[in-house]
Amino acid sequence: MYQLIVKGGLVVDGTGRQGCRADVGITRGTITVVGQLHGELAERTLDADGLVVSPGWIDLHSHSDFTIMINARAESKARQGITTEVTGNCGITAAPLPDAHRRELLDFLSINLGIGGTESLDWEWRTFGDYLDRLRGTLLGVNLAPLVGHTTLRIAAMGAAQDPATEEDLSAMEALLEHSLLAGAFGLSSGLEYPPASYSAPGEMVRLARIAARHGALYATHIRSEDLALWGAIAEAVDVGERSGCRVEISHLKLGGVRNWGRAPELLAFLDRARERGVDVAWDQYPYVAWGSSLIDYLPHWVAADGRERLAERLLDAAVRRAIRAEIEEEVGNGRHPLCAAPWDTVRIALVGSAANRHHEGRTIAQIAASEGRDPLEVVFDLLAAERGAVKTLVFCVDEGDIRTILRHPLTAVVTDGRAVAPYGVLGQGMIHPRYYGAFPRVLARYVRDEKLLTLESAIHRMTLMPARRIGLHDRGRIAPGFAADLTIFDPATIQDRATFEQPHEYPAGIAWV
């Protein structure tokens, strides 16, 4: 007797091959038969007639490290068909949290998380192994494959210093990385666009990537710039892979800022040439014209140094405000400031911590400034001071044509770049990015069914076997005997993302079972 039989669905097995009508037999959580199971007995049978039976979708770029400890159901992910999340991206991870520099680590995380509920966590773990044990002690709604973050390693080794790492610092980071990989981390991530990781030299990443390579682990990088300095940042990511021998995943590949729009073919050609000479580089994408970030990114890096309380003090000082303004104006004049790529009318407030400023969520900085008759920078100073730095934003600065071009490339994996949330409780707050709820269904609805940009089989491959192989999961991402029975079963005619920028907390339609 089978534990479960899924009968009569269109089985799209994850390999990219054309789907075929078949039954799937499952025993003890493992796929045992793909074929015709007429008359076979099962504890439970699902009628999948008219539905697609796919391997469970794998989110290669996720940030659920903390939210899954607040609400373990991970509903925004599971309800959009995701069964495995690769967490710990962009260099920011929940572990290790050693006693040395622990206060700086917790302060940094509290600014960058920008979410409610983390105050309820006990933060008792120290090592990466401790953190994994904490997760293993919880019944989770999805599988997790956590990465360890370079920023967390750097602060743990040397604090939030605005300095290059010394040999002693590098050795400490290497030791922490080695320990984390041995404890169960699936790879290394970086967030080189943001301090203190932005203070690192490329050689620092090569050193760490070599350790990842020795363990056969992935290096996933949020590159040093996705807009003004994009091309040099892409070249750096390729160079790290070439010098270290590590396989490199460029996170949420995009061309930010109008000056880069239309250059996706050029970007992909550069990456293809790197692959032709042996660099194991690939990338992922979420299919939206806005990215998610933090408002603090618009201020000089030194403003956020020394923690949240010091940041608020600085922003309440008129002399410091004048100094910040002068520095920003100089950078704008030289074409080096984020405003040159994404001006205030593209920057929308997504999430704040206090009820006093919640009415700003969903409005751009330009709209707030105009409605209050104020200078945009003064709005930014006041908001960041009141929220002690923790203000999340959406920035509308990506071209839809480039999204399509990147998505068509056969090496582009689909991701959410989102944390697991839900429409209720502390995780239901804010005008967050709709990708948290809808990235995977959006690809199948918009780009497969409606626009026919991709075939169904190609899209499923980018959501399943491709990311499984990329992260090193050998028993997931495919419907075949011996593979884990992670399945997503959906109606190709009705699957639809329903989350929007105006109403983001909406589950998708058309997914029958996960």
Side-chain angles (χ1 to χ4, degrees), residues 57 80 88 96 166 176 187 192 200 333 376 410 471 488:
W57 302 336
Q80 67 167 298
T166 65
L176 286 168
L192 299 175
S200 64
I471 194 61
T488 296

Side-chain angles (χ1 to χ4, degrees), residues 123-370:
W123 302 93
E124 285 303 308
W125 60 91
R126 294 295 193 275
T127 68
F128 206 86
D130 293 340
Y131 170 67
L132 295 184
D133 287 342
R134 170 70 173 269
L135 294 175
R136 292 185 185 108
T138 306
L139 186 62
L140 302 174
V142 294
N143 304 305
L144 297 186
L147 305 174
V148 60
H150 162 247
T151 302
T152 301
L153 294 174
R154 198 176 206 270
I155 298 175
M158 57 182 290
Q162 303 180 42
D163 303 307
T166 65
E167 182 60 35
E168 182 181 358
D169 297 329
L170 284 168
S171 296
M173 279 186 263
E174 288 174 325
L176 286 168
L177 173 59
E178 186 94 40
H179 187 275
S180 298
L181 293 169
L182 290 172
F186 280 75
L188 168 71
S189 77
S190 67
L192 299 175
E193 190 168 11
Y194 309 118
S198 57
Y199 306 131
S200 64
E204 181 175 319
M205 300 317 305
V206 173
R207 288 271 295 260
L208 296 175
R210 283 176 178 154
I211 292 177
R214 194 164 67 239
H215 287 263
L218 182 70
Y219 169 49
T221 178
H222 176 142
I223 56 177
R224 217 170 278 271
S225 171
E226 296 181 317
D227 42 58
L228 298 176
L230 169 68
W231 301 92
I234 289 286
E236 178 188 350
V238 169
D239 182 64
V240 169
E242 200 156 22
R243 293 168 62 189
S244 69
C246 189
R247 67 185 190 277
V248 176
E249 182 77 9
I250 298 178
S251 297
H252 39 61
L253 185 66
K254 66 176 72 73
L255 295 94
V258 174
R259 70 178 69 177
N260 286 320
W261 287 6
R263 299 182 69 184
E266 181 183 346
L267 176 61
L268 294 171
F270 176 84
L271 294 170
D272 284 337
R273 288 194 296 271
R275 289 184 58 83
E276 288 168 3
R277 65 176 187 267
V279 183
D280 190 353
V281 60
W283 49 89
D284 48 63
Q285 178 198 52
Y286 52 82
Y288 296 88
V289 296
W291 66 71
S293 192
S294 297
L295 189 58
I296 194 69
D297 300 338
Y298 279 79
L299 299 190
H301 290 171
W302 57 265
V303 180
D306 309 313
R308 296 182 69 177
E309 302 305 327
R310 187 74 185 98
L311 177 148
E313 290 173 10
R314 285 179 175 134
L315 291 177
L316 292 173
D317 187 315
V320 174
R321 287 193 181 201
R322 287 193 295 271
I324 296 171
R325 180 183 293 276
E327 188 170 335
I328 290 174
E329 289 174 350
E330 180 182 359
E331 288 186 347
V332 169
N334 293 329
R336 297 197 309 267
H337 193 270
L339 284 169
C340 300
W344 293 127
D345 61 351
T346 69
V347 183
R348 183 185 295 184
I349 302 302
L351 182 63
V352 298
S354 71
N357 287 309
R358 204 149 290 153
H359 63 287
H360 290 315
E361 292 176 348
R363 305 168 72 200
T364 68
I365 295 297
Q367 287 171 334
I368 297 169

